């Protein structure tokens, strides 16, 4: 069998492949050769084969069949084999592989090898990817090795211990004795890894943290030596002595000083020294300064030091180096809550960063700018932020728009300014505005009563310019529908009123309905707006025509609305005006907002309408908590007019009349009696009170009574006294039903009862036909 | 540190070092994400990116991108120094290192990395000591090979 080709040879060959397919072919050929070589248990070339396999693995090809070979290499006595074997283990044998644990014994042996480089390999592998089981098994060996005086090994063992602690935190205690004189090392590598170990322990255990606080003076001394010492060729980086160690110590000091007055005080001097003495011309100096600033901000430093830190960050902001500006913005963002005033001093620089070309910097600057907005600087800041919104990349627009809305809401100096700001956002970034902003904005506009005319005028003008931005169009249509009368009447105090006719307004709204740019939601808004205008405008016929056209629209949502609105025209013309209509529109508008969670059962315009899940709470909120309105649960109701207080007022007081009571239902222990009153002054309304009683030994819970009446009647159900009908006739549940009977027809009713009895749900339907004639005549 | 990736301007992977355990699928996805994100960056942007909960620090040296992912509490500016230190080590070892050196001697690049970093932390801050360790290991490797060659020759 010829010797397998060398690694470099293979690499060269594969690189000559001109297509992916050619490369795949070469690889497959070589893999086959390697596989057969493995099968033959060829010791001489195993190393070479595995190396080739690792190369192919890096190109993305599967290499799992080499896992066991890696184990064999590790077990070999040749250093070359071990080197490649351990590398292969690190690349192919992570803890998710079943054969992973087979390494444990080899590693154990190699940890005690006579050659430090072999020990080093084993430590490296264990410390990089040892699983929890392996760490548990070998923790003892690691702990033993920690005592070595060999600095080459010591630094590796220390990091290995760090890894063991990360994987098996319970073993942390085991390494505590070894930390006794950790910091008295001279060797920087050992010192550095020791600081890492201490950091790890302190981060994981408050007890350890308290225990190691006593090391603060020592750490301060080491740091001082590093800064003050002269040039050390071995650790020098651009004139700074061992920056990696310095940063690591600063980080540990941060953890030790946090929340502790004494430790913080002990560090104050050295932190000030580092902050003032470090050379800032190169990145490495700034890295140390950055870490110092982070430490100062986190510990209980004195205020002078904190100001120094923020000023350093301010200086960073002016640095030419983008990375440093970015880091400054990030840090300022973290400190803006606690040191607000200090950060405010750098506001103008921060705002300038909005114009930076770098995307990461822009984002940070934007976040920080929003954090800095307050009542004093709102006008100036908003100008900058709106300018930013105009020119920024699309990825920022949504966040920026939301930020502007929030800031405007909190700090708006005047209502007009607020509305102007919103208009600006809608016109410049309208399509990026979040969906939930639309109802919020409408709420805001509604509340600014004196601005209605101005708002609707501005929105109308915006619509004339551009109808592509949906949130703008939606808010605008809603406003026009609501305040269209103000628009055509030409009243506007804030600016020059425009002259516009009803027909022009309707043209615009109809334009929205037919435009391809309008989404279905937008069309819904437009149609509703047109409908609302029927009570404000005089050209009702035109509106009627539009509405009826959409009664046969393909869009179900639109069709439904149109049909309902049509019905309003036909049946409830007298009620169309004013208050009720607004209410209907608000109800419908809420449907839009909470669209997906409402499954609207087809509202049948003849009776038997069921207004389902429309939360009665919503209704109450909309009416401003009008407590005349009853809580309607699964009621059978008339058209929206019944939701208003008007109907109830019509009913006036109730007076008892001499109509005999009756039993409507009596089954399975549940008895329902009806008692009657005739309401004054309207003789067409009968008021029925149901009394439900339960003669069984168990309560009936979740009791719900529903009723339906024929077409010619209208029915309203008020809330029941309770949902539980107590057992053994201990009490009754009462509920009031009002029935409007204008045609004085014979009263008939179908009732549905649901309740839970003895753990099971019961449901029943029944017809009630035995109403006494006096109740409906 | 979470991972270190080296890739060319065409997105070909030259070195991958993972400091936490991850499935192959996750690794492949991360490699894809990193190469796409980093290669899309404009020439004079800052070297930092935010990706999920990690900070990504990347730097281009000639035709190779070095991409390091660190956790949120780590120092990005120092991460740049770490990358630079690794490049210096490679440069000292190979003498004016270029991408081809790393392609053809990838295992050496790993060995050097393993003398500089371990388990996501720096193990040695001195350039000279790292270089000396690598040289000593290489010599050990050659010595063993030479010894075996002699032995082999004696037998034949």
């Amino acid at each position: 069998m010829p010797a397998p080709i060398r690694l470099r040879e293979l690499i060269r060959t594969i690189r000559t492949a001109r297509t992916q397919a050619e490369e795949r072919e070469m690889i497959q050929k070589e893999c086959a050769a390697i596989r057969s070589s493995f099968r033959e248990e060829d010791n001489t070339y195993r190393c070479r084969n595995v190396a080739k396999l690792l190369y192919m693995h890096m190109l993305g090809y599967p290499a799992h069949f080499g896992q066991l070979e890696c184990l064999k290499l590790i077990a070999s006595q040749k250093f070359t084999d071990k080197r490649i074997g351990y590398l292969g283990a690190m690349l192919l044998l992570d803890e998710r592989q079943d054969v992973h644990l087979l390494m444990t014994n080899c590693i154990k042996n190699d940890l005690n090898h006579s050659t430090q480089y072999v020990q080093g390999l084993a430590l490296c592998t264990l410390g990089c990817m040892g699983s929890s089981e392996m760490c548990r098994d070998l923790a003892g060996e690691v702990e033993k090795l920690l005592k070595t005086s060999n600095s080459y090994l010591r630094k590796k063992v220390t990091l290995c211990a760090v890894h063991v602690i990360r994987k098996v935190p319970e073993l942390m205690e085991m390494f505590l004795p070894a930390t006794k004189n950790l910091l008295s090392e001279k060797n920087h590598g050992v010192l550095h890894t020791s600081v890492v170990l201490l950091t790890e322990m302190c981060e994981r255990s408050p007890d350890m943290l308290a225990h190691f606080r006593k090391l603060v003076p020592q750490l301060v001394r080491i740091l001082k030596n590093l800064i003050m010492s002269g040039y050390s060729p071995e650790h020098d980086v651009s004139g700074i002595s061992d920056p990696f160690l310095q940063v690591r110590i600063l980080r540990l000091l941060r953890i030790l000083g946090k929340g502790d007055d004494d430790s913080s005080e002990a560090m104050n001097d050295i932190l000030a020294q580092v902050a003032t003495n470090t050379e800032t011309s190169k990145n490495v100096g700034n890295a140390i300064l950055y870490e110092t600033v982070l430490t100062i901000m986190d510990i209980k430093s004195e205020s002078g030091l904190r100001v120094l830190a923020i000023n350093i960050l301010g200086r960073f902001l002016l640095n030419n180096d983008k990375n440093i500006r970015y880091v400054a913005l990030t840090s300022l963002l973290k400190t803006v809550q606690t040191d607000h005033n200090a950060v405010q001093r750098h506001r103008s620089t921060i705002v300038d960063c909005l114009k930076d070309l770098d995307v990461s910097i822009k984002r940070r600057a934007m976040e920080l700018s929003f954090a800095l907005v307050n009542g004093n600087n709102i006008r100036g800041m908003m100008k900058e932020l709106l300018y930013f919104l105009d020119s920024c990349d699309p990825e920022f627009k949504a966040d920026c728009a939301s930020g502007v809305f929030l800031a405007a809401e909190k700090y708006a100096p005047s209502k007009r300014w607020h509305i102007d700001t919103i208009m600006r956002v809608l016109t410049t970034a309208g399509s990026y505005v979040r969906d939930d902003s639309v109802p919020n904005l409408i709420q805001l506009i509604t509340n600014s009563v004196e601005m209605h005319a101005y708002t609707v005028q501005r929105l109308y003008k915006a619509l004339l310019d551009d109808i592509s931005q949906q949130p703008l169009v939606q808010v605008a249509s809603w406003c026009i529908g609501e305040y269209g009368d103000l628009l055509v009447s030409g009243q506007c105090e804030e600016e020059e009123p425009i002259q516009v006719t009803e027909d022009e307004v309707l043209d615009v709204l109809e334009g929205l309905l037919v435009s391809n740019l309008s989404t279905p939601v937008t069309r819904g808004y437009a149609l509703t707006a047109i409908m609302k205008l029927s009570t404000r405008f005089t050209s009702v016929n035109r509106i009627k025509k539009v509405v009826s056209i959409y009664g046969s629209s393909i869009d179900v949502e639109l069709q439904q609305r149109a049909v309902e609105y049509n019905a309003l025209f036909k049946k409830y013309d007298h009620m169309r005006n004013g208050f009720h209509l607004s209410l209907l529109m608000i109800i419908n508008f809420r449907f839009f907002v909470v669209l997906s969670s409402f499954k609207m059962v087809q509202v049948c315009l003849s009776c038997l309408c069921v207004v389902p899940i429309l939360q009665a709470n919503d209704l109450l909120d909309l009416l401003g908590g009008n407590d005349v309105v009853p809580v309607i649960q699964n009621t059978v109701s008339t058209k929206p007019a019944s939701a208003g207080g008007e109907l109830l007022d019509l009913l006036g007081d109730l007076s008892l009349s001499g109509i005999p009571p009756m039993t409507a239902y009596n089954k399975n222990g549940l008895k329902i009696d009806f008692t009657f009153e005739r309401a004054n002054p309207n003789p067409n309304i009968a008021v029925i009170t149901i009394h439900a009683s339960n003669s069984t030994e168990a309560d009936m819970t979740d009791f719900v009574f529903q009723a339906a009446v024929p077409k010619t009647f209208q029915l309203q159900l008020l809330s029941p006294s309770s949902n539980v009908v107590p057992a053994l006739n201990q009490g009754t549940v009462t509920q009031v039903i009002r029935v409007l009977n204008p045609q004085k027809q014979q009263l008939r009713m179908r009732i549905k009862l649901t309740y839970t009895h003895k753990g099971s749900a019961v449901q029943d339907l029944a017809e009630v036909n035995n109403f006494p004639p006096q109740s409906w005549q | 540190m979470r991972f270190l990736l080296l890739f060319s301007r065409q997105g070909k992977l030259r070195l991958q070092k993972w400091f936490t355990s991850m499935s192959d699928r996750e690794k492949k996805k991360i490699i894809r994400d990193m190469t796409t994100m980093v290669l899309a960056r404009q020439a004079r942007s800052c070297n930092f990116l935010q990706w999920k909960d990690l900070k990504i620090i990347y730097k281009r040296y000639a035709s190779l991108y070095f991409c390091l992912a660190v956790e949120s509490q780590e120092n990005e500016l120092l991460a740049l120094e770490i990358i630079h230190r690794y490049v210096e080590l490679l440069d000292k070892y190979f003498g004016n290192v270029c991408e081809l050196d790393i392609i053809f001697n990838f295992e050496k690049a790993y060995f050097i990395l393993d003398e500089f970093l371990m388990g996501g932390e720096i193990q040695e801050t001195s350039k000279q000591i790292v270089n000396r360790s690598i040289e000593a290991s290489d010599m050990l490797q050659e010595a063993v090979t030479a010894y075996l060659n002699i032995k082999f020759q004696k037998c034949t």
Side-chain angles (χ1 to χ4, degrees), chain A residues 414-566:
Chain A
S414 73
K415 286 227 153 90
R416 164 143 183 195
W417 180 94
H418 196 168
I419 291 186
D420 281 341
T421 308
I422 292 173
M423 289 285 317
R424 176 85 183 269
V425 174
L426 286 178
T427 44
T428 52
S431 17
Y432 299 97
V433 158
R434 283 199 240 278
D435 292 333
D436 60 354
S437 335
V438 172
N440 290 339
L441 291 174
I442 291 181
Q443 184 85 22
L444 176 70
I445 294 173
T446 318
N447 289 339
S448 333
V449 177
E450 65 280 12
M451 303 297 304
H452 285 167
Y454 172 70
T455 313
V456 70
Q457 184 164 294
R458 284 212 60 190
L459 284 169
Y460 178 75
K461 283 199 277 194
L463 267 192
L464 291 176
D465 277 333
D466 171 23
I467 58 168
S468 63
Q469 310 211 68
Q470 301 304 298
L472 173 65
V473 173
Q474 287 168 11
V475 175
S477 346
W478 188 90
C479 270
I480 295 176
E482 196 64 25
Y483 310 120
D485 47 333
L486 294 174
L487 186 61
V488 296
S489 68
Q491 317 163 345
C492 183
E493 287 159 10
E494 299 283 340
E495 63 173 23
E496 191 63 39
I498 58 174
Q499 307 302 325
V500 64
T501 65
E502 292 183 1
D503 277 318
E504 283 171 335
V505 174
L506 289 171
D507 281 339
V508 169
L509 287 175
E510 279 185 55
L512 293 175
L513 277 173
V514 301
S515 165
N516 285 333
L517 296 166
S518 301
T519 62
V521 174
T522 309
R523 291 210 179 93
Y525 271 93
L527 187 61
T528 306
I530 292 179
M531 186 57 190
K532 283 200 234 178
L533 289 174
S534 71
T535 61
R536 292 160 172 79
F537 283 4
T538 52
S539 40
V540 178
N541 286 326
R542 177 172 175 184
I543 294 177
K544 268 196 202 171
K545 228 172 50 174
V546 173
V547 168
S548 59
I549 290 174
Y550 280 89
S552 43
S553 157
I554 302 176
D555 184 331
V556 176
E557 203 39 66
L558 228 47
Q559 189 194 105
Q560 186 162 4
R561 279 163 206 268
V563 167
E564 287 169 38
Y565 298 162
N566 252 332

Side-chain angles (χ1 to χ4, degrees), chain A residues 213-231:
Chain A
R213 278 225 173 87
K214 60 178 194 267
L215 293 175
V216 169
Q218 238 181 321
L219 288 165
V220 167
R221 225 178 9 252
I222 297 173
L223 192 52
K224 196 164 185 160
N225 284 338
L226 284 172
I227 303 170
M228 306 302 266
S229 71
Y231 175 74

Side-chain angles (χ1 to χ4, degrees), chain A residues 8 83 248 291 323 358, chain B residues 46-47 75 104 121 141:
Chain A
R8 325 274 176 237
R83 248 185 156 185
R248 218 53 228 234
E291 195 74 30
N323 296 328
D358 186 285
Chain B
C46 81
N47 298 84
N75 185 329
F104 280 92
E121 304 288 346
Q141 188 171 326

Side-chain angles (χ1 to χ4, degrees), chain A residues 355-417:
Chain A
K355 305 190 183 93
D356 200 299
L357 295 166
D358 186 285
V359 160
S360 316
I361 290 181
K362 274 204 274 222
R363 178 164 284 283
R364 285 283 185 259
M366 179 181 85
E367 288 165 4
L368 195 49
S369 301
F370 279 123
L372 286 176
V373 169
N374 62 26
N376 294 332
N377 57 33
I378 177 76
R379 282 191 195 263
M381 287 295 274
M382 201 48 84
K383 221 163 64 162
E384 296 284 347
L385 287 165
L386 285 172
Y387 181 72
F388 174 68
L389 183 62
D390 281 341
S391 53
C392 69
D393 299 326
E395 59 189 282
F396 290 120
K397 292 211 191 217
D399 291 328
C400 191
S402 304
V404 168
F405 286 148
L406 267 166
E409 209 174 300
K410 273 203 261 190
Y411 302 112
S414 73
K415 286 227 153 90
R416 164 143 183 195
W417 180 94

Side-chain angles (χ1 to χ4, degrees), chain A residues 141-353:
Chain A
E141 299 293 325
V142 173
E143 199 255 326
K144 215 168 61 186
L145 275 171
L146 265 178
K147 301 185 186 114
T148 180
S149 52
N150 179 332
S151 56
Y152 174 78
L153 287 179
R154 184 82 174 277
K155 65 191 184 199
K156 290 185 193 270
V157 183
T158 314
L159 284 185
C160 210
V162 172
H163 180 83
V164 169
I165 293 175
R166 283 182 184 157
K167 282 293 189 185
V168 193
E170 306 91 70
L171 292 176
M172 186 161 47
E173 299 285 320
M174 214 172 140
F175 299 108
L176 191 52
T179 62
K180 231 174 152 87
N181 287 317
L182 222 47
L183 293 179
S184 45
E185 271 298 319
K186 293 289 174 219
N187 180 296
H188 280 222
V190 179
L191 201 49
H192 184 275
T193 53
S194 304
V195 174
V196 173
L197 177 60
L198 288 169
T199 312
E200 189 69 31
M201 289 172 132
C202 290
E203 276 177 339
R204 281 182 185 269
S205 154
D207 293 330
M208 293 281 185
L209 180 58
H211 173 78
F212 285 125
R213 278 225 173 87
K214 60 178 194 267
L215 293 175
V216 169
Q218 238 181 321
L219 288 165
V220 167
R221 225 178 9 252
I222 297 173
L223 192 52
K224 196 164 185 160
N225 284 338
L226 284 172
I227 303 170
M228 306 302 266
S229 71
Y231 175 74
S232 151
E234 210 168 325
H235 300 110
D236 180 87
V237 180
S238 306
I240 296 182
S241 190
D242 208 338
F244 304 107
L245 182 57
Q246 287 193 35
V247 166
R248 218 53 228 234
I249 292 178
L250 285 165
R251 199 160 136 196
L252 180 55
L253 285 175
R254 178 154 84 241
I255 295 170
L256 292 174
K258 194 167 186 167
D260 186 79
D261 289 321
D262 293 327
S263 309
S264 303
E265 206 187 311
M267 322 175 182
N268 266 323
D269 285 341
I270 190 66
L271 289 173
Q273 211 176 349
V274 175
T276 41
N277 284 353
T278 309
E279 187 60 52
T280 58
S281 54
K282 291 268 174 72
N283 180 61
V284 61
N286 287 318
I288 295 177
L289 270 184
Y290 176 41
E291 195 74 30
T292 312
V293 165
L294 290 178
T295 302
I296 293 175
M297 299 317 293
D298 249 10
I299 64 171
K300 295 187 147 199
S301 44
E302 49 184 42
S303 57
L305 203 53
R306 289 182 92 85
V307 171
L308 176 62
I310 296 203
N311 288 345
I312 291 177
L313 290 178
R315 268 208 321 272
F316 274 3
L317 279 179
L318 300 166
N319 196 305
N320 282 331
D321 189 334
K322 283 198 177 37
N323 296 328
I324 294 175
R325 290 210 296 278
Y326 177 84
V327 147
L329 288 169
T330 314
S331 316
L332 284 170
L333 197 55
K334 282 193 221 148
T335 64
V336 73
Q337 304 304 330
T338 45
D339 294 86
H340 192 90
N341 293 331
V343 181
Q344 280 284 0
R345 261 179 248 136
H346 302 277
R347 195 178 66 241
S348 48
T349 327
I350 293 169
V351 168
D352 279 339
C353 287

